[in-house]
Coordinates of all heavy atoms in Angstrom, one line a residue:
M1 N -89.9 -49.9 -11.7 CA -89.7 -51.2 -12.4 C -88.6 -52.0 -11.6 O -87.6 -51.4 -11.2 CB -89.2 -50.9 -13.8 CG -88.7 -52.1 -14.6 SD -88.1 -51.8 -16.2 CE -89.6 -51.3 -17.0
T2 N -88.8 -53.3 -11.5 CA -87.9 -54.1 -10.8 C -86.9 -54.7 -11.7 O -87.1 -54.6 -13.0 CB -88.6 -55.3 -10.0 OG1 -89.1 -56.2 -11.0 CG2 -89.7 -54.8 -9.1
V3 N -85.8 -55.2 -11.2 CA -84.8 -55.9 -12.0 C -85.5 -57.0 -12.8 O -85.2 -57.2 -14.0 CB -83.7 -56.5 -11.2 CG1 -82.8 -57.4 -11.9 CG2 -82.8 -55.3 -10.6
Y4 N -86.3 -57.8 -12.2 CA -87.0 -58.9 -12.8 C -87.9 -58.5 -14.0 O -87.9 -59.1 -15.0 CB -87.8 -59.7 -11.8 CG -87.0 -60.1 -10.6 CD1 -87.2 -59.5 -9.4 CD2 -85.9 -61.0 -10.7 CE1 -86.4 -59.8 -8.3 CE2 -85.1 -61.3 -9.6 CZ -85.4 -60.7 -8.4 OH -84.6 -61.0 -7.3
E5 N -88.6 -57.4 -13.8 CA -89.5 -56.8 -14.9 C -88.6 -56.4 -16.0 O -88.9 -56.6 -17.2 CB -90.3 -55.7 -14.4 CG -91.4 -56.1 -13.4 CD -92.1 -55.0 -12.7 OE1 -91.4 -53.9 -12.5 OE2 -93.2 -55.2 -12.2
A6 N -87.5 -55.7 -15.7 CA -86.6 -55.2 -16.8 C -86.0 -56.3 -17.6 O -86.0 -56.3 -18.8 CB -85.5 -54.3 -16.2
I7 N -85.5 -57.4 -16.9 CA -84.9 -58.5 -17.6 C -86.0 -59.2 -18.5 O -85.7 -59.6 -19.6 CB -84.3 -59.5 -16.6 CG1 -83.1 -58.8 -16.0 CG2 -83.9 -60.8 -17.3 CD1 -82.5 -59.6 -14.8
H8 N -87.2 -59.3 -18.0 CA -88.3 -59.9 -18.8 C -88.5 -59.1 -20.0 O -88.6 -59.7 -21.1 CB -89.6 -60.0 -17.9 CG -90.7 -60.6 -18.7 ND1 -90.8 -61.9 -19.0 CD2 -91.8 -60.0 -19.2 CE1 -92.0 -62.1 -19.7 NE2 -92.6 -60.9 -19.8
Q9 N -88.5 -57.8 -19.9 CA -88.7 -56.9 -21.1 C -87.5 -57.0 -22.0 O -87.7 -57.0 -23.3 CB -89.0 -55.5 -20.7 CG -90.4 -55.4 -20.1 CD -90.7 -53.9 -19.8 OE1 -90.2 -53.0 -20.4 NE2 -91.6 -53.7 -18.8
M10 N -86.3 -57.1 -21.5 CA -85.1 -57.2 -22.3 C -85.2 -58.5 -23.2 O -84.9 -58.5 -24.4 CB -83.9 -57.3 -21.5 CG -83.4 -56.1 -20.8 SD -82.0 -56.4 -19.8 CE -81.9 -54.9 -18.8
R11 N -85.6 -59.6 -22.6 CA -85.8 -60.9 -23.3 C -86.8 -60.8 -24.4 O -86.6 -61.3 -25.5 CB -86.1 -62.0 -22.3 CG -84.8 -62.3 -21.5 CD -85.1 -63.4 -20.5 NE -83.8 -63.8 -19.8 CZ -83.8 -64.2 -18.6 NH1 -84.8 -64.3 -17.8 NH2 -82.6 -64.5 -18.0
E12 N -87.9 -60.1 -24.1 CA -89.0 -59.9 -25.1 C -88.5 -59.1 -26.3 O -88.8 -59.4 -27.4 CB -90.2 -59.3 -24.5 CG -91.0 -60.2 -23.6 CD -92.3 -59.6 -23.0 OE1 -92.4 -58.3 -23.0 OE2 -93.2 -60.3 -22.6
L13 N -87.8 -58.0 -26.0 CA -87.4 -57.1 -27.0 C -86.3 -57.8 -27.9 O -86.3 -57.7 -29.1 CB -86.8 -55.8 -26.5 CG -87.9 -54.9 -25.9 CD1 -87.2 -53.7 -25.2 CD2 -88.8 -54.4 -27.0
T14 N -85.4 -58.6 -27.2 CA -84.4 -59.3 -27.9 C -85.0 -60.3 -28.9 O -84.5 -60.5 -30.0 CB -83.4 -60.0 -26.9 OG1 -82.7 -59.0 -26.2 CG2 -82.4 -60.9 -27.6
A15 N -86.0 -61.0 -28.4 CA -86.7 -62.0 -29.3 C -87.3 -61.3 -30.5 O -87.3 -62.0 -31.6 CB -87.8 -62.7 -28.5
K16 N -87.7 -60.1 -30.4 CA -88.2 -59.3 -31.6 C -87.1 -58.6 -32.4 O -87.4 -58.0 -33.4 CB -89.2 -58.3 -31.1 CG -90.4 -58.8 -30.4 CD -91.3 -57.7 -29.9 CE -92.4 -58.2 -29.0 NZ -93.2 -57.1 -28.4
G17 N -85.9 -58.7 -31.9 CA -84.8 -58.0 -32.6 C -84.8 -56.5 -32.3 O -84.1 -55.8 -33.1
Q18 N -85.4 -56.0 -31.3 CA -85.5 -54.6 -31.0 C -84.5 -54.2 -29.9 O -84.6 -54.6 -28.7 CB -86.9 -54.2 -30.6 CG -87.9 -54.5 -31.6 CD -89.3 -54.2 -31.1 OE1 -89.6 -54.1 -29.9 NE2 -90.3 -54.1 -32.1
P19 N -83.4 -53.5 -30.2 CA -82.5 -53.0 -29.2 C -83.1 -52.2 -28.1 O -84.1 -51.5 -28.3 CB -81.4 -52.2 -30.0 CG -81.6 -52.7 -31.4 CD -83.1 -53.0 -31.5
F20 N -82.4 -52.2 -27.0 CA -82.9 -51.4 -25.8 C -81.7 -50.7 -25.2 O -80.5 -51.1 -25.4 CB -83.6 -52.3 -24.8 CG -82.8 -53.5 -24.4 CD1 -81.9 -53.5 -23.4 CD2 -83.1 -54.7 -25.1 CE1 -81.2 -54.6 -23.1 CE2 -82.3 -55.8 -24.8 CZ -81.4 -55.8 -23.8
A21 N -81.9 -49.7 -24.3 CA -80.9 -49.0 -23.6 C -80.8 -49.6 -22.2 O -81.8 -50.0 -21.6 CB -81.1 -47.5 -23.5
L22 N -79.6 -49.6 -21.6 CA -79.4 -50.1 -20.2 C -78.2 -49.4 -19.6 O -77.3 -48.9 -20.3 CB -79.3 -51.6 -20.1 CG -78.1 -52.3 -20.8 CD1 -76.9 -52.5 -19.8 CD2 -78.5 -53.6 -21.4
S23 N -78.2 -49.3 -18.3 CA -77.0 -48.9 -17.6 C -76.9 -49.7 -16.3 O -77.8 -50.2 -15.8 CB -77.1 -47.4 -17.2 OG -78.1 -47.2 -16.2
F24 N -75.6 -49.9 -15.9 CA -75.3 -50.7 -14.8 C -74.0 -50.3 -14.1 O -73.2 -49.6 -14.8 CB -75.2 -52.2 -15.2 CG -74.2 -52.5 -16.3 CD1 -72.9 -52.8 -16.0 CD2 -74.6 -52.3 -17.6 CE1 -72.0 -53.0 -17.1 CE2 -73.7 -52.5 -18.7 CZ -72.4 -52.9 -18.4
M25 N -73.8 -50.7 -12.9 CA -72.5 -50.5 -12.2 C -71.6 -51.7 -12.6 O -72.1 -52.8 -12.6 CB -72.7 -50.5 -10.7 CG -73.4 -49.2 -10.2 SD -72.6 -47.7 -10.6 CE -71.1 -47.8 -9.7
T26 N -70.4 -51.4 -12.9 CA -69.4 -52.4 -13.2 C -68.9 -53.0 -12.0 O -68.8 -52.4 -10.9 CB -68.3 -51.8 -14.1 OG1 -67.5 -50.9 -13.3 CG2 -68.8 -51.2 -15.3
Y27 N -68.4 -54.3 -12.1 CA -67.7 -54.9 -11.0 C -67.0 -56.2 -11.5 O -67.6 -57.0 -12.2 CB -68.7 -55.4 -9.8 CG -67.9 -56.0 -8.7 CD1 -67.2 -55.2 -7.9 CD2 -68.0 -57.4 -8.5 CE1 -66.4 -55.8 -6.8 CE2 -67.2 -57.9 -7.5 CZ -66.5 -57.1 -6.6 OH -65.7 -57.7 -5.6
S28 N -65.7 -56.3 -11.2 CA -64.9 -57.4 -11.5 C -64.6 -58.2 -10.2 O -64.0 -57.7 -9.3 CB -63.6 -57.0 -12.2 OG -62.7 -58.1 -12.3
M29 N -65.1 -59.5 -10.2 CA -64.8 -60.3 -9.0 C -63.3 -60.6 -8.9 O -62.8 -60.7 -7.9 CB -65.6 -61.6 -9.1 CG -67.1 -61.4 -8.7 SD -68.0 -62.9 -8.4 CE -67.1 -63.5 -7.0
Q30 N -62.7 -60.8 -10.1 CA -61.3 -61.2 -10.1 C -60.4 -60.0 -9.6 O -59.5 -60.3 -8.8 CB -60.8 -61.6 -11.5 CG -61.3 -62.9 -12.0 CD -62.7 -62.7 -12.6 OE1 -63.2 -61.6 -12.9 NE2 -63.4 -63.8 -12.8
K31 N -60.7 -58.8 -10.0 CA -59.9 -57.7 -9.6 C -60.5 -57.0 -8.3 O -59.9 -56.2 -7.7 CB -59.9 -56.6 -10.7 CG -59.2 -57.1 -11.9 CD -59.2 -56.1 -13.0 CE -58.6 -56.6 -14.3 NZ -58.7 -55.6 -15.4
R32 N -61.7 -57.4 -7.9 CA -62.4 -56.9 -6.8 C -62.5 -55.3 -6.9 O -62.2 -54.6 -5.9 CB -61.8 -57.3 -5.5 CG -61.9 -58.8 -5.3 CD -61.3 -59.2 -3.9 NE -61.4 -60.6 -3.8 CZ -62.3 -61.2 -3.0 NH1 -63.2 -60.6 -2.4 NH2 -62.3 -62.6 -2.9
E33 N -62.9 -54.9 -8.0 CA -63.0 -53.4 -8.2 C -64.1 -53.1 -9.2 O -64.6 -53.9 -10.0 CB -61.7 -52.8 -8.7 CG -61.3 -53.3 -10.1 CD -59.9 -52.7 -10.5 OE1 -59.2 -52.3 -9.6 OE2 -59.6 -52.7 -11.7
S34 N -64.6 -51.8 -9.1 CA -65.6 -51.3 -10.0 C -65.0 -50.1 -10.8 O -64.1 -49.4 -10.2 CB -66.8 -50.8 -9.2 OG -67.7 -50.1 -10.1
H35 N -65.4 -49.9 -12.0 CA -65.1 -48.7 -12.7 C -66.3 -47.8 -12.9 O -66.3 -47.0 -13.9 CB -64.4 -49.1 -14.1 CG -63.1 -49.8 -13.9 ND1 -62.0 -49.1 -13.5 CD2 -62.8 -51.1 -14.1 CE1 -61.0 -50.0 -13.5 NE2 -61.4 -51.2 -13.8
G36 N -67.2 -47.8 -12.0 CA -68.4 -47.0 -12.0 C -69.5 -47.4 -12.9 O -69.6 -48.6 -13.3
E37 N -70.2 -46.5 -13.4 CA -71.4 -46.8 -14.2 C -71.0 -47.0 -15.7 O -70.1 -46.3 -16.2 CB -72.4 -45.7 -14.1 CG -73.7 -45.9 -14.8 CD -74.7 -44.8 -14.6 OE1 -74.5 -43.9 -13.8 OE2 -75.8 -44.9 -15.3
S38 N -71.7 -47.9 -16.3 CA -71.5 -48.2 -17.7 C -72.8 -48.1 -18.4 O -73.8 -48.5 -17.8 CB -70.8 -49.5 -18.0 OG -70.5 -49.7 -19.3
A39 N -72.9 -47.7 -19.6 CA -74.2 -47.6 -20.3 C -74.1 -48.1 -21.7 O -73.0 -48.1 -22.3 CB -74.7 -46.2 -20.3
C40 N -75.2 -48.6 -22.3 CA -75.3 -49.0 -23.7 C -76.6 -48.5 -24.2 O -77.6 -48.8 -23.6 CB -75.1 -50.5 -23.8 SG -75.2 -51.1 -25.5
E41 N -76.6 -47.8 -25.3 CA -77.8 -47.3 -25.9 C -78.6 -48.3 -26.8 O -79.8 -48.2 -26.9 CB -77.5 -46.0 -26.7 CG -77.3 -44.8 -25.9 CD -78.5 -44.4 -25.0 OE1 -79.6 -44.4 -25.5 OE2 -78.3 -44.2 -23.8
H42 N -77.9 -49.2 -27.4 CA -78.5 -50.2 -28.3 C -77.9 -51.6 -28.0 O -76.9 -52.0 -28.6 CB -78.2 -49.8 -29.7 CG -78.7 -48.4 -30.1 ND1 -77.8 -47.4 -30.2 CD2 -79.9 -47.9 -30.3 CE1 -78.5 -46.3 -30.4 NE2 -79.8 -46.6 -30.5
A43 N -78.6 -52.3 -27.1 CA -78.2 -53.6 -26.7 C -79.2 -54.7 -27.0 O -80.4 -54.5 -27.1 CB -78.0 -53.6 -25.2
L44 N -78.7 -55.9 -27.3 CA -79.5 -57.1 -27.4 C -78.9 -58.2 -26.6 O -77.6 -58.4 -26.6 CB -79.6 -57.6 -28.9 CG -80.4 -56.8 -29.8 CD1 -80.3 -57.3 -31.2 CD2 -81.9 -56.7 -29.4
L45 N -79.7 -59.0 -25.8 CA -79.1 -60.1 -25.0 C -78.6 -61.2 -25.9 O -79.1 -61.4 -27.0 CB -80.2 -60.6 -24.1 CG -80.8 -59.7 -23.1 CD1 -81.8 -60.4 -22.2 CD2 -79.7 -59.2 -22.1
V46 N -77.6 -61.9 -25.4 CA -77.0 -63.1 -26.1 C -76.9 -64.2 -25.0 O -76.9 -63.9 -23.8 CB -75.7 -62.8 -26.7 CG1 -75.8 -61.8 -27.9 CG2 -74.6 -62.4 -25.7
K47 N -76.9 -65.4 -25.5 CA -76.8 -66.5 -24.6 C -75.5 -66.5 -23.8 O -74.5 -66.3 -24.4 CB -76.9 -67.8 -25.4 CG -77.2 -69.0 -24.5 CD -77.6 -70.2 -25.4 CE -77.9 -71.4 -24.6 NZ -79.3 -71.5 -24.2
N48 N -75.6 -66.7 -22.5 CA -74.4 -66.8 -21.6 C -73.6 -68.0 -21.9 O -74.2 -69.1 -22.2 CB -74.8 -66.8 -20.1 CG -75.2 -65.4 -19.6 OD1 -75.0 -64.4 -20.3 ND2 -75.7 -65.4 -18.4
E49 N -72.3 -67.8 -21.9 CA -71.4 -69.0 -22.1 C -71.2 -69.5 -20.7 O -70.6 -68.9 -19.8 CB -70.0 -68.5 -22.6 CG -70.1 -68.0 -24.0 CD -70.3 -69.1 -25.0 OE1 -69.9 -70.3 -24.8 OE2 -71.0 -68.9 -26.0
K50 N -71.8 -70.7 -20.4 CA -71.6 -71.3 -19.1 C -70.2 -71.9 -18.9 O -69.7 -72.6 -19.8 CB -72.6 -72.5 -18.9 CG -74.1 -72.0 -19.0 CD -74.5 -71.3 -17.7 CE -75.9 -70.9 -17.8 NZ -76.4 -70.2 -16.6
K51 N -69.6 -71.6 -17.8 CA -68.3 -72.1 -17.5 C -68.4 -73.0 -16.3 O -68.4 -72.5 -15.2 CB -67.3 -70.9 -17.2 CG -67.2 -70.0 -18.4 CD -66.3 -68.8 -18.1 CE -66.2 -67.9 -19.3 NZ -65.6 -66.6 -19.0
G52 N -68.5 -74.3 -16.5 CA -68.6 -75.2 -15.4 C -70.0 -75.1 -14.8 O -70.9 -74.7 -15.4
D53 N -70.0 -75.5 -13.5 CA -71.3 -75.4 -12.7 C -71.3 -74.2 -11.8 O -72.0 -74.2 -10.8 CB -71.4 -76.7 -11.9 CG -71.7 -77.9 -12.8 OD1 -72.2 -77.8 -13.9 OD2 -71.2 -79.0 -12.4
D54 N -70.6 -73.2 -12.2 CA -70.5 -72.0 -11.3 C -71.9 -71.3 -11.2 O -72.4 -70.8 -12.2 CB -69.5 -71.0 -11.9 CG -69.2 -69.8 -11.0 OD1 -69.8 -69.7 -9.9 OD2 -68.4 -69.0 -11.4
S55 N -72.5 -71.4 -10.0 CA -73.8 -70.8 -9.8 C -73.9 -69.3 -10.0 O -74.9 -68.7 -10.2 CB -74.3 -71.2 -8.4 OG -73.5 -70.6 -7.4
L56 N -72.7 -68.6 -9.9 CA -72.7 -67.2 -10.1 C -73.1 -66.8 -11.6 O -73.5 -65.7 -11.8 CB -71.3 -66.6 -9.8 CG -71.0 -66.7 -8.3 CD1 -69.5 -66.1 -8.1 CD2 -72.0 -65.9 -7.5
N57 N -72.9 -67.7 -12.5 CA -73.3 -67.5 -13.9 C -74.8 -67.2 -14.0 O -75.2 -66.5 -15.0 CB -73.0 -68.7 -14.8 CG -71.5 -68.8 -15.1 OD1 -70.8 -67.7 -15.2 ND2 -71.0 -70.0 -15.4
N58 N -75.6 -67.6 -13.1 CA -77.0 -67.4 -13.1 C -77.3 -65.9 -12.8 O -78.5 -65.5 -13.0 CB -77.7 -68.2 -12.0 CG -77.6 -69.7 -12.4 OD1 -77.6 -70.1 -13.5 ND2 -77.6 -70.5 -11.4
Y59 N -76.4 -65.1 -12.4 CA -76.6 -63.7 -12.0 C -76.0 -62.8 -13.0 O -76.0 -61.6 -12.8 CB -76.1 -63.4 -10.6 CG -76.8 -64.2 -9.6 CD1 -76.3 -65.4 -9.1 CD2 -78.1 -63.9 -9.1 CE1 -76.9 -66.2 -8.1 CE2 -78.8 -64.6 -8.2 CZ -78.2 -65.8 -7.7 OH -78.9 -66.5 -6.8
I60 N -75.5 -63.3 -14.1 CA -74.8 -62.5 -15.1 C -75.6 -62.6 -16.4 O -76.1 -63.6 -16.8 CB -73.4 -63.0 -15.4 CG1 -72.5 -62.8 -14.2 CG2 -72.8 -62.3 -16.6 CD1 -71.1 -63.4 -14.3
L61 N -75.8 -61.4 -17.0 CA -76.5 -61.3 -18.3 C -75.4 -60.8 -19.3 O -74.7 -59.9 -19.1 CB -77.7 -60.4 -18.3 CG -78.9 -60.9 -17.7 CD1 -80.0 -59.9 -17.7 CD2 -79.4 -62.2 -18.4
T62 N -75.4 -61.5 -20.5 CA -74.5 -61.1 -21.6 C -75.3 -60.4 -22.6 O -76.4 -60.8 -22.9 CB -73.8 -62.3 -22.1 OG1 -73.1 -63.0 -21.1 CG2 -72.8 -61.9 -23.2
F63 N -74.7 -59.3 -23.2 CA -75.4 -58.6 -24.3 C -74.4 -58.2 -25.3 O -73.2 -58.2 -25.1 CB -76.2 -57.4 -23.7 CG -75.3 -56.3 -23.1 CD1 -74.9 -55.2 -23.9 CD2 -74.9 -56.3 -21.8 CE1 -74.1 -54.2 -23.4 CE2 -74.1 -55.3 -21.3 CZ -73.7 -54.3 -22.1
R64 N -74.9 -57.8 -26.5 CA -74.1 -57.3 -27.5 C -74.4 -55.8 -27.8 O -75.6 -55.5 -27.9 CB -74.2 -58.1 -28.8 CG -73.3 -57.6 -29.9 CD -73.1 -58.6 -31.1 NE -72.8 -59.9 -30.6 CZ -71.5 -60.3 -30.3 NH1 -70.5 -59.4 -30.4 NH2 -71.3 -61.5 -30.0
D65 N -73.4 -55.0 -27.7 CA -73.6 -53.6 -28.0 C -73.7 -53.5 -29.5 O -72.8 -53.8 -30.3 CB -72.4 -52.8 -27.5 CG -72.5 -51.3 -27.7 OD1 -73.1 -50.9 -28.8 OD2 -72.0 -50.5 -26.9
Q66 N -74.9 -53.1 -30.0 CA -75.2 -53.1 -31.4 C -74.4 -52.0 -32.2 O -74.3 -52.1 -33.4 CB -76.7 -52.9 -31.7 CG -77.5 -54.0 -31.1 CD -77.2 -55.4 -31.7 OE1 -76.5 -56.2 -31.1 NE2 -77.6 -55.6 -32.9
D67 N -73.9 -51.0 -31.4 CA -73.1 -49.9 -32.1 C -71.7 -50.3 -32.3 O -71.1 -49.9 -33.3 CB -73.2 -48.6 -31.2 CG -74.6 -48.1 -31.1 OD1 -75.4 -48.2 -32.1 OD2 -74.9 -47.5 -30.0
T68 N -71.1 -51.1 -31.4 CA -69.7 -51.5 -31.5 C -69.5 -53.0 -31.9 O -68.4 -53.4 -32.3 CB -69.0 -51.2 -30.2 OG1 -69.5 -52.1 -29.2 CG2 -69.1 -49.8 -29.8
G69 N -70.6 -53.8 -31.7 CA -70.5 -55.2 -32.0 C -69.8 -56.0 -30.8 O -69.7 -57.2 -30.8
E70 N -69.4 -55.3 -29.8 CA -68.7 -55.8 -28.6 C -69.7 -56.6 -27.7 O -70.8 -56.2 -27.4 CB -68.1 -54.7 -27.8 CG -67.4 -55.2 -26.6 CD -66.8 -54.0 -25.7 OE1 -67.3 -52.9 -25.9 OE2 -66.0 -54.3 -24.9
A71 N -69.3 -57.8 -27.3 CA -70.0 -58.6 -26.3 C -69.6 -58.2 -25.0 O -68.4 -58.0 -24.7 CB -69.7 -60.1 -26.5
R72 N -70.6 -57.9 -24.1 CA -70.4 -57.4 -22.8 C -71.3 -58.1 -21.8 O -72.2 -58.8 -22.2 CB -70.6 -55.9 -22.7 CG -69.7 -55.1 -23.7 CD -70.1 -53.7 -23.7 NE -69.9 -53.0 -22.5 CZ -70.4 -51.8 -22.2 NH1 -71.0 -51.1 -23.1 NH2 -70.2 -51.3 -21.0
H73 N -71.1 -57.9 -20.5 CA -71.9 -58.6 -19.5 C -72.0 -57.7 -18.3 O -71.2 -56.8 -18.1 CB -71.4 -60.0 -19.2 CG -70.0 -59.9 -18.5 ND1 -68.9 -59.9 -19.2 CD2 -69.7 -59.9 -17.2 CE1 -67.9 -59.9 -18.4 NE2 -68.3 -59.8 -17.2
F74 N -73.0 -58.0 -17.5 CA -73.2 -57.3 -16.2 C -73.9 -58.2 -15.2 O -74.6 -59.2 -15.6 CB -74.1 -56.0 -16.4 CG -75.5 -56.2 -16.8 CD1 -76.5 -56.3 -15.9 CD2 -75.9 -56.4 -18.1 CE1 -77.8 -56.5 -16.2 CE2 -77.2 -56.6 -18.5 CZ -78.2 -56.7 -17.5
W75 N -73.7 -57.9 -13.9 CA -74.4 -58.6 -12.8 C -75.8 -58.1 -12.7 O -76.0 -56.9 -12.6 CB -73.6 -58.4 -11.5 CG -72.3 -59.0 -11.5 CD1 -71.1 -58.4 -11.9 CD2 -72.0 -60.3 -11.1 NE1 -70.1 -59.3 -11.7 CE2 -70.6 -60.5 -11.2 CE3 -72.7 -61.4 -10.6 CZ2 -69.9 -61.7 -10.9 CZ3 -72.1 -62.6 -10.3 CH2 -70.7 -62.7 -10.5
Q76 N -76.8 -59.0 -12.7 CA -78.2 -58.6 -12.7 C -78.5 -57.6 -11.5 O -79.2 -56.6 -11.7 CB -79.1 -59.8 -12.6 CG -79.1 -60.6 -13.8 CD -79.9 -61.8 -13.7 OE1 -80.8 -62.0 -12.8 NE2 -79.7 -62.8 -14.6
P77 N -78.0 -57.8 -10.3 CA -78.3 -56.9 -9.2 C -77.7 -55.5 -9.4 O -78.1 -54.6 -8.7 CB -77.7 -57.6 -8.0 CG -77.4 -59.0 -8.3 CD -77.2 -59.0 -9.8
L78 N -76.8 -55.4 -10.3 CA -76.1 -54.0 -10.5 C -76.8 -53.3 -11.7 O -76.3 -52.2 -12.0 CB -74.6 -54.2 -10.8 CG -73.9 -54.9 -9.6 CD1 -72.4 -55.0 -10.0 CD2 -74.1 -54.1 -8.3
L79 N -77.9 -53.8 -12.2 CA -78.6 -53.0 -13.2 C -79.2 -51.8 -12.6 O -79.9 -51.8 -11.6 CB -79.7 -53.9 -13.8 CG -80.6 -53.3 -14.9 CD1 -79.7 -53.1 -16.2 CD2 -81.7 -54.3 -15.3
M80 N -79.0 -50.6 -13.3 CA -79.4 -49.4 -12.8 C -80.6 -48.8 -13.5 O -81.5 -48.2 -13.0 CB -78.3 -48.3 -12.8 CG -77.2 -48.7 -11.8 SD -75.8 -47.6 -11.9 CE -76.6 -46.1 -11.4
S81 N -80.6 -49.0 -14.9 CA -81.8 -48.5 -15.7 C -82.0 -49.4 -16.9 O -81.1 -50.0 -17.4 CB -81.5 -47.0 -16.1 OG -80.5 -47.0 -17.1
F82 N -83.2 -49.3 -17.4 CA -83.6 -50.0 -18.6 C -84.4 -49.0 -19.4 O -85.4 -48.5 -18.9 CB -84.4 -51.3 -18.2 CG -85.1 -51.9 -19.4 CD1 -84.4 -52.5 -20.4 CD2 -86.5 -51.8 -19.5 CE1 -85.1 -53.0 -21.5 CE2 -87.2 -52.3 -20.6 CZ -86.4 -53.0 -21.6
N83 N -84.0 -48.8 -20.6 CA -84.7 -47.8 -21.5 C -84.9 -46.5 -20.8 O -86.0 -45.9 -20.8 CB -86.0 -48.4 -22.1 CG -85.7 -49.2 -23.3 OD1 -84.7 -49.1 -23.9 ND2 -86.7 -50.0 -23.7
H84 N -83.9 -46.1 -20.0 CA -83.8 -44.8 -19.3 C -84.8 -44.7 -18.2 O -85.0 -43.6 -17.7 CB -83.9 -43.6 -20.3 CG -83.0 -43.7 -21.4 ND1 -81.6 -43.5 -21.3 CD2 -83.1 -44.1 -22.7 CE1 -81.0 -43.6 -22.4 NE2 -81.9 -44.0 -23.3
Q85 N -85.3 -45.8 -17.7 CA -86.2 -45.8 -16.6 C -85.4 -46.5 -15.4 O -84.8 -47.6 -15.6 CB -87.4 -46.7 -16.9 CG -88.4 -46.7 -15.7 CD -89.7 -47.5 -16.1 OE1 -89.9 -47.8 -17.2 NE2 -90.5 -47.8 -15.1
M86 N -85.3 -45.8 -14.3 CA -84.5 -46.3 -13.2 C -85.1 -47.6 -12.6 O -86.3 -47.8 -12.6 CB -84.5 -45.2 -12.1 CG -83.8 -44.0 -12.5 SD -82.1 -44.2 -13.1 CE -81.3 -44.7 -11.6
I87 N -84.2 -48.5 -12.1 CA -84.6 -49.7 -11.5 C -84.9 -49.5 -10.0 O -84.0 -48.8 -9.4 CB -83.5 -50.8 -11.7 CG1 -83.3 -51.0 -13.2 CG2 -83.9 -52.1 -11.0 CD1 -84.4 -51.5 -14.0
D88 N -86.0 -50.0 -9.5 CA -86.3 -49.9 -8.1 C -85.3 -50.8 -7.3 O -84.9 -51.9 -7.7 CB -87.7 -50.4 -7.8 CG -88.7 -49.5 -8.5 OD1 -88.5 -48.3 -8.7 OD2 -89.8 -50.0 -8.8
T89 N -84.9 -50.3 -6.1 CA -84.1 -51.1 -5.2 C -85.0 -52.1 -4.5 O -86.2 -51.9 -4.3 CB -83.3 -50.2 -4.2 OG1 -84.3 -49.5 -3.5 CG2 -82.4 -49.3 -4.9
I90 N -84.4 -53.2 -4.1 CA -85.1 -54.2 -3.3 C -84.8 -53.9 -1.9 O -83.7 -53.9 -1.4 CB -84.6 -55.6 -3.7 CG1 -84.8 -55.9 -5.2 CG2 -85.3 -56.7 -2.9 CD1 -84.2 -57.2 -5.7
D91 N -85.9 -53.7 -1.2 CA -85.8 -53.4 0.3 C -85.8 -54.7 1.1 O -86.4 -55.7 0.8 CB -87.0 -52.6 0.7 CG -86.9 -51.2 0.1 OD1 -85.8 -50.7 -0.2 OD2 -88.0 -50.6 -0.2

């Protein structure tokens, strides 16, 4: 499964109100650091809050952890799995 296929399925499931599992590598541009892999078992996408015309916003997906209610986000290229299926790397 590619990142694009996974995101398409995430959007379809979110539209139906059906949570999904995902995992991704964390990365903070401000701190220029990662805290390794992060996972969520029950996520639904939410609309991204656009901050100006920053084109990097196009590469971030925001989701709500249905277990904690916390709003979180990840960089699309750092998505590692969707519903416990590994994401293929782009060669």
Side-chain angles (χ1 to χ4, degrees):
M1 172 178 294
T2 68
V3 167
Y4 308 109
E5 291 167 336
I7 292 169
H8 179 74
Q9 288 185 27
M10 287 178 193
R11 289 181 174 143
E12 285 183 341
L13 290 171
T14 295
K16 295 175 186 176
Q18 298 175 347
F20 52 84
L22 63 96
S23 69
F24 55 93
M25 290 300 294
T26 63
Y27 183 71
S28 168
M29 285 191 64
Q30 290 81 16
K31 297 177 183 177
R32 295 184 182 257
E33 66 184 18
S34 172
H35 292 287
E37 186 176 353
S38 184
C40 178
E41 284 298 314
H42 304 102
L44 289 174
L45 295 179
V46 296
K47 192 167 181 92
N48 281 351
E49 293 290 326
K50 297 285 183 181
K51 296 177 183 170
D53 292 329
D54 189 359
S55 63
L56 292 177
N57 282 331
N58 294 330
Y59 298 100
I60 295 175
L61 283 179
T62 304
F63 66 95
R64 183 162 309 278
D65 183 326
Q66 297 301 106
D67 295 326
T68 66
E70 179 183 16
R72 300 173 61 193
H73 63 272
F74 67 94
W75 292 91
Q76 293 177 17
L78 299 181
L79 182 64
M80 295 178 61
S81 71
F82 167 69
N83 276 341
H84 307 287
Q85 182 178 348
M86 296 304 291
I87 301 298
D88 297 331
T89 59
I90 300 173
D91 295 328

